[in-house]
Amino acid sequence: MTRRLFLRVIASLAAVFLLVVAISITQYVRAHPRDPLQQNLASWARENKMGAVVDKLEVWLHNDPPAVAPADSLALAITPVTDATARTSTTLVVSPSQSSTSTSVPDLITPLIIRPTVAISSCPIDPTTATVVTSTTTTTSTTTTLPIPGTSTTTTTTTIPAKPADIPSQLLPALPSEGTWQAIMRVRTKPIVYATSIRPLWCFGSVVATMATFDPTRVHTAMFNGTEMPGGKGWKNSSKIHGTALRSLIASFNGGFRFEHQPGGYVTEGKTVRKMRKGYATLAISQDGTSTVGVWGETITDEGSWTSLRQNLPPLVHNGKSVYANYPKVDWGQDFDNKVYNFRSAVCLRTDGLMMFVAVGKVNIGMLADTLVVLGCKIGMELDINGQWPYFAVYSDFGKATRWGEVIDNRMGDPNRHLNGSTKEFFALFDPDTLPAGAVK
C-alpha cells in the first residue's frame, strides 16, 4: 500500500467515525430538546464512557474563583405571593428582576458594610475588627411536630415554624427582599413553599444562593427514577410526573450525582439499585411520605420504615457545622483540591425542622458547606452540580389536569423538565390530602 493510499484510508475511517459520532450526538440532543446543548453533550459523553474527558473539561472551565465585588441583583426567578396580595390560584408571575429594564441596583453612594453573622472557613472573621450580628427575627409556630432523626430507641420532637425566620444579610445595603422568606406556592390558600435569595458569603459578594423550604410533615415526598439514572424499566415512579398524581403536585427538585461518580446507596420501590453506605448523608422518605436528611447508620437506621433512600456523598454539614474537610478523599465533583467553582445544589434538614433546598454559585465545596451553615442547616448533603442540573420548580393551577412549572432561580433550566421526562432521578412534593391512594410509590 502506497503512502498516499494509506492516508486516504485513514482519512476515510476518520470521516466515518466522525459521521457516526455526529449522528449519535444529534439523536441524543433530539431526544432531550429542552436541555442546553452543553448539558446534552456532557451527558452523551458520559453515557458513552467518556466521563473522564468531561471531568477534565469541567475542571478546566470552572477553576476561576467567584468575584469579591457584591452582586447587584439576586437570582429569585418568581414573584413571591405576599400576604397582602395573596392569590387563591397558584398562577406564577415572572419576577421583575428578570427584566433588563427593572434590575434593582443598590445606591452606589452608600458605603458597603460587612456584617458576618456566622464564623465560616471561607470568610474567616477577625474578632478584633468584625462585629457579629445575630438575627432577632421571630416567627409564629404551628402545632406540627417532626421526629428528630435518631436511634430506634429514642424519639424527640421539635415544633416546626409556620414560616422560616428571615436571614440577616451579610452585606449592607441589602438588596430588595434579600433574605426575606416569601410564599411562592399555596395549597387551598395556605402557604406551603417559601423561597428567598441571598448573598451568603460576605467575602465573595458575587455568590448568590436561592433557597426553598417546606414542612416535611405537610407534604408527601416521592422519588422518581430517570431514564439514565438509575435507568431500567418497570418503575411506578418513572421519569415524569403524570396521571392522577399531577393534580396534587406542589414542587419538585433534582437528585444526586451519576453513578460513575461513586455516590452512595439508592433504594426505592422495593429495589436496591446501589447498596447503602454507612456514614453517608441520606435523603430518606418514610411510608407516609415524610422526608428527612440524616446520616446512615447514625441518625437514620435500617428499621424497615423507609420507602426511598438516596445517598450522594458524606455530609457537608453535621450538627450545624461544616464537616466536608473530614473526608479529604471524597470526590465532591472533581473538587479534591477545593478549586472547582460551579453552580451547586444541596438539601438539608434545618435546625428548626424544615427541609430546605439550596442552589448556589459559583462556589467550591467548602463554600457550599459554609453556605449551608449560614442558612441554618443541621444536616446537609450535596446534590447535583454544574450547568442547569440544580433545579427546583413549583407548579401552577393546583388541582387541574394540566400543570405548568416555574423554576425558582433564573440560572435553572426547563421549568417543565419533570413533567416531560428527566434523564436523572428527582424528588417531587404532593398534597397528601388530595393525592390518590397508590398514585405514587
Side-chain angles (χ1 to χ4, degrees):
M1 180 182 294
T2 65
R3 183 173 183 273
R4 180 176 296 179
L5 180 59
F6 175 77
L7 292 176
R8 286 180 179 177
V9 171
I10 294 299
S12 298
L13 291 175
V16 171
F17 173 77
L18 292 175
L19 179 61
V20 171
V21 169
I23 292 173
S24 178
I25 292 175
T26 300
Q27 291 175 336
Y28 190 92
V29 171
R30 290 183 65 184
H32 311 93
R34 294 175 177 270
D35 289 337
L37 178 61
Q38 181 177 341
Q39 189 165 296
N40 271 329
L41 290 175
S43 295
W44 173 86
R46 293 190 184 282
E47 284 294 295
N48 287 275
K49 312 301 182 183
M50 290 184 282
V53 176
V54 177
D55 290 340
K56 294 298 183 182
L57 287 173
E58 288 179 346
V59 171
W60 177 68
L61 289 171
H62 303 294
N63 63 357
D64 294 325
V68 174
D72 59 10
S73 63
L74 299 175
L76 193 63
I78 54 179
T79 300
V81 183
T82 63
D83 293 335
T85 59
R87 296 190 298 266
T88 55
S89 69
T90 55
T91 302
L92 300 170
V93 183
V94 177
S95 170
S97 65
Q98 290 181 293
S99 171
S100 60
T101 60
S102 60
T103 302
S104 174
V105 179
D107 186 356
L108 299 180
I109 299 176
T110 303
L112 185 67
I113 300 174
I114 298 173
R115 60 164 193 175
T117 62
V118 179
I120 53 176
S121 59
S122 299
C123 304
I125 297 174
D126 182 350
T128 64
T129 60
T131 301
V132 178
V133 180
T134 57
S135 173
T136 58
T137 305
T138 59
T139 60
T140 57
S141 299
T142 65
T143 57
T144 306
T145 58
L146 173 71
I148 298 298
T151 65
S152 58
T153 58
T154 303
T155 302
T156 58
T157 60
T158 184
T159 301
I160 298 177
K163 179 182 179 182
D166 290 341
I167 305 169
S169 174
Q170 308 296 291
L171 298 167
L172 295 178
L175 297 175
S177 300
E178 183 172 6
T180 302
W181 293 100
Q182 303 271 2
I184 61 167
M185 182 69 185
R186 295 175 183 268
V187 173
R188 293 179 295 277
T189 75
K190 294 183 178 180
I192 201 75
V193 178
Y194 287 89
T196 191
S197 194
I198 193 172
R199 297 166 296 178
L201 306 175
W202 65 263
C203 62
F204 294 99
S206 65
V207 172
V208 175
T210 300
M211 301 79 69
T213 63
F214 58 92
D215 182 340
T217 67
R218 294 179 60 198
V219 299
H220 184 108
T221 305
M223 184 163 72
F224 285 73
N225 304 281
T227 56
E228 295 175 1
M229 293 293 122
K233 299 180 180 179
W235 298 110
K236 171 70 174 179
N237 296 349
S238 61
S239 63
K240 61 182 178 180
I241 306 167
H242 60 91
T244 57
L246 191 59
R247 296 177 182 270
S248 302
L249 178 62
I250 293 172
S252 63
F253 60 94
N254 62 273
F257 284 3
R258 293 175 62 93
F259 291 163
E260 62 258 35
H261 293 297
Q262 298 302 314
Y266 190 115
V267 178
T268 191
E269 299 189 23
K271 301 177 183 179
T272 299
V273 180
R274 293 178 63 88
K275 292 182 178 180
M276 300 296 290
R277 297 187 63 172
K278 185 177 181 180
Y280 268 40
T282 305
L283 199 165
I285 303 173
S286 65
Q287 294 178 359
D288 65 358
T290 301
S291 60
T292 190
V293 174
V295 177
W296 187 252
E298 182 181 331
T299 61
I300 298 179
T301 57
D302 187 8
E303 56 190 38
S305 63
W306 308 110
T307 58
S308 292
L309 297 162
R310 177 60 157 116
Q311 295 180 321
N312 204 35
L313 297 168
L316 286 175
V317 171
H318 196 358
N319 292 325
K321 297 180 180 180
S322 172
V323 295
Y324 84 94
N326 294 345
Y327 310 95
K329 296 183 179 181
V330 168
D331 179 2
W332 303 97
Q334 289 297 304
D335 209 0
F336 295 103
D337 297 322
N338 217 5
K339 294 180 180 179
V340 177
Y341 306 90
N342 48 19
F343 193 33
R344 299 177 186 252
S345 66
V347 65
C348 78
L349 177 67
R350 289 164 47 102
T351 55
D352 58 10
L354 291 167
M355 289 281 283
M356 180 167 65
F357 172 90
V358 179
V360 57
K362 58 182 186 177
V363 293
N364 60 23
I365 192 62
M367 293 174 180
L368 175 59
D370 284 342
T371 295
L372 298 185
V373 172
V374 170
L375 298 178
C377 291
K378 181 180 181 181
I379 299 179
M381 61 183 284
E382 183 179 34
L383 293 179
D384 215 351
I385 64 175
N386 285 325
Q388 295 180 343
W389 289 123
Y391 179 97
F392 190 106
V394 291
Y395 295 87
S396 67
D397 300 324
F398 180 81
K400 295 184 179 180
T402 301
R403 309 294 302 279
W404 299 96
E406 182 71 25
V407 292
I408 65 170
D409 187 294
N410 55 33
R411 296 166 289 185
M412 296 174 179
D414 176 17
N416 295 312
R417 176 184 298 168
H418 297 157
L419 302 182
N420 297 322
S422 175
T423 57
K424 295 183 177 182
E425 94 285 351
F426 62 91
F427 298 91
L429 312 178
F430 299 90
D431 171 37
D433 293 336
T434 59
L435 183 66
V440 296
K441 275 287 187 178

